[in-house]
Structure formats: structure tokens, C-alpha cells
Amino acid sequence: MQDTTPKRMIIGISGASGVTYGVRLLELLRNAGVETHLVMSKTAEQTFAYETDLKIAEVRALANVNHAIDDMASAISSGSFRTAGMIVAPCSMRSMSEIASGVTTTLLTRAADVVLKERRRLVLMVRETPLHTGHLRTMTALSEIGAIIAPPLPAFYARPESLDDMVEHTVGRVLDLYDIDIGVVRRWGEDEALKRRSPSLRKIAP
């Protein structure tokens, strides 16, 4: 059987709330043996200080290769550097808008633009609510040029017991888009515990 697991992935972490999604992706991909290339915005470093107790050096240590946000000559800025694609987790509205326009000012958005032009998979874990019409139109434009918009939303049917459970299930579903199964997703119709609960769920369905 052919091994379809991607071996090299770009992870972008922007300054939006939810930097823990990027951290968990790096951890899971490392455990899966996937080479990760991390590019992090300067505002992401500030968000880490607000939302976590992690030091930036600890975050960078999770990736195989780190790229400076202003290094536009980096390997990931070129389409000849082959990857399975890129996940921006979380993705801010500014980063999303730059990627949609193609007018990129940082390595994070340039790398995403490269992934799109090379017809590789780009997943944007957009973090914002509520969304105005401009946001929605930009998401539509991105979808039309090949990006996947995947806001980090919890799956309550999996009965998460903690915030970590929600984060892990969410990033697991994102990795499904790359055919990477790291065993953290509780799958409807396959998980025996969820099957046993399904009759009671049907009772409350409209």
C-alpha cells in the first residue's frame, strides 16, 4: 500500500486569538513524523504572552525548521520547495485578507500565496466573530481560488471534557484534510461510545 502521509508541512501562526491550535498541530505532526516548517507573526508572539505560559523558544522548539517572518528569501517562499501544503492556525483577518489579495507583506502570507499558486492545500483556521460582509466576501474569494476555510469550532457530539479535548479534536479534523490520522478524532458512526449515545440524540432532534 502506498504511503500517502505528507512528510513536510508549513504551519503559520498569526496574531489572532487561539495560538494553542498552532501549538497542538506542531506537537501532533511531530509525533506523526511529519517535518514542520514554522513561521510566526510578531503579533503572534504577543498573543502567546496573553493566552499561554509558553515561551516563544518553547514553541519554536516544536518545529523542525523555523523561518523568520521577514525572511522573504526563505525556502517556503518558493514554489520549488515542495510541501504537502500549509495550515494557518489561527488565521487573523489581516492575514486572511493579504492572502486573498495576493499582496503579501510577510513570509507567512507569502508562503500561503505560494501554496495556492502551486495548487497545494491551504487551510485557514480563521478566528473572528461576528463576521461582517467584507470578511465573508473575502472568505468566498479564498474558497474560489482553492483555500479551505476551517474556523476552529468545537464538536460537542464528541463529549469533550476539557478545552484540550476541544482543541485536539478540532486540529485532528483539520489534519484529516491532509489524510493524516493521528488517532485523536472521535468519529461519528465509528466510535462505539458515540454509537451507544445516538438513540438518545435522535430523541431530542427536531
Side-chain angles (χ1 to χ4, degrees):
M1 183 179 295
Q2 185 178 2
D3 182 11
T4 60
T5 302
K7 300 301 183 184
R8 181 186 284 161
M9 182 84 71
I10 304 170
I11 301 297
I13 303 179
S14 78
S17 179
V19 289
T20 187
Y21 292 108
V23 170
R24 195 68 185 115
L25 278 168
L26 289 169
E27 292 172 339
L28 292 172
L29 288 169
R30 180 183 59 183
N31 293 341
V34 177
E35 178 184 308
T36 52
H37 289 251
L38 173 64
V39 56
M40 185 168 20
S41 72
K42 296 185 185 302
T43 50
E45 296 184 13
Q46 297 173 353
T47 305
F48 269 105
Y50 290 127
E51 297 186 348
T52 78
D53 294 324
L54 290 170
K55 303 298 183 185
I56 296 302
E58 295 175 311
V59 179
R60 295 192 182 282
L62 296 173
N64 295 99
V65 182
N66 282 270
H67 300 269
I69 191 66
D70 56 356
D71 183 8
M72 301 301 277
S74 174
I76 61 174
S77 70
S78 172
S80 64
F81 185 75
R82 297 183 64 186
T83 70
M86 180 175 183
I87 304 170
V88 183
C91 182
S92 67
M93 292 296 105
R94 175 174 179 172
S95 294
M96 181 188 74
S97 298
E98 282 198 17
I99 296 165
S101 70
V103 182
T104 58
T105 62
T106 70
L107 180 61
L108 190 155
T109 53
R110 167 59 186 171
D113 191 59
V114 167
V115 167
L116 285 175
K117 79 179 183 68
E118 297 295 326
R119 303 302 192 267
R120 297 168 187 158
R121 180 146 291 180
L122 173 67
V123 176
L124 305 178
M125 297 183 69
V126 177
R127 271 287 292 113
E128 187 61 277
T129 192
L131 299 166
H132 60 58
T133 305
H135 295 150
L136 296 170
R137 286 175 177 160
T138 302
M139 290 180 192
T140 299
L142 282 163
S143 181
E144 289 172 344
I145 61 176
I148 295 177
I149 308 298
L153 303 174
F156 291 105
Y157 69 82
R159 296 289 184 92
E161 297 180 357
S162 66
L163 187 57
D164 286 343
D165 286 348
M166 290 184 179
V167 170
E168 194 162 86
H169 189 278
T170 299
V171 298
R173 290 289 289 118
V174 167
L175 291 178
D176 278 350
L177 297 170
Y178 296 85
D179 293 324
I180 302 175
D181 184 356
I182 31 70
V184 300
V185 176
R186 301 194 67 185
R187 302 189 184 281
W188 188 260
E190 298 178 16
D191 187 291
E192 290 300 320
L194 295 181
K195 285 181 181 179
R196 288 193 294 271
R197 292 193 187 112
S198 60
S200 61
L201 292 178
R202 286 197 296 269
K203 289 179 183 178
I204 64 173

